[in-house]
Amino acid sequence: MVQRTLRLIPLVAVLATSTSVHADSVIKQLDNQLSHIENTVNGTQRSLRRTQNKYDNTQRTMTELKDGTYAEKSVGRAVKKKKRRAVNGLIHRSNNAIRKATNIY
């Protein structure tokens, strides 16, 4: 009886180890699947936001065309954009000049 019990101990140990390794493998696989699903959901949400923005912009443009204010608003936006770009360019050039003058890269 004792010999039989002693023979079963290694078998039980191997079985427990095998089960543990298999469980770890399953957990890793499920973790990878969950990560993939999360990435898919986040991508879908970004896509939906972009689609919503396009829809909103189209609605705004249609409203402006009906009101007759499209041209004025379009020109206003273009002027703001040019001013913003000009200011950003000046800031960028001055930052580069400061970096070159102080040799900080």
Side-chain angles (χ1 to χ4, degrees):
M1 182 74 173
V2 172
Q3 285 182 342
R4 191 175 206 190
T5 305
L6 291 177
R7 281 190 212 163
L8 288 178
I9 289 175
L11 181 62
V12 170
V14 168
L15 183 62
T17 304
S18 173
T19 304
S20 173
V21 169
H22 181 68
D24 284 345
S25 173
V26 169
I27 288 172
K28 285 180 184 176
Q29 185 179 8
L30 288 173
D31 208 25
N32 287 340
Q33 289 175 349
L34 179 61
S35 179
H36 178 72
I37 290 169
E38 287 173 345
N39 290 338
T40 302
V41 168
N42 289 336
T44 303
Q45 287 174 340
R46 282 190 299 272
S47 177
L48 286 173
R49 280 193 298 270
R50 282 193 300 268
T51 303
Q52 183 64 44
N53 286 342
K54 287 179 183 179
Y55 175 79
D56 291 344
N57 290 341
T58 303
Q59 291 296 85
R60 186 189 70 229
T61 301
M62 288 172 57
T63 302
E64 290 172 1
L65 284 170
K66 286 179 187 173
D67 295 346
T69 58
Y70 178 79
E72 294 87 1
K73 289 186 177 184
S74 179
V75 169
R77 284 191 293 270
V79 169
K80 277 185 187 176
K81 197 175 191 178
K82 276 226 185 269
K83 285 181 182 177
R84 189 178 330 114
R85 283 185 179 169
V87 169
N88 287 342
L90 287 172
I91 291 170
H92 183 69
R93 281 195 299 266
S94 66
N95 285 343
N96 281 342
I98 291 169
R99 255 190 250 115
K100 287 179 183 176
T102 57
N103 289 328
I104 298 173
Y105 291 96

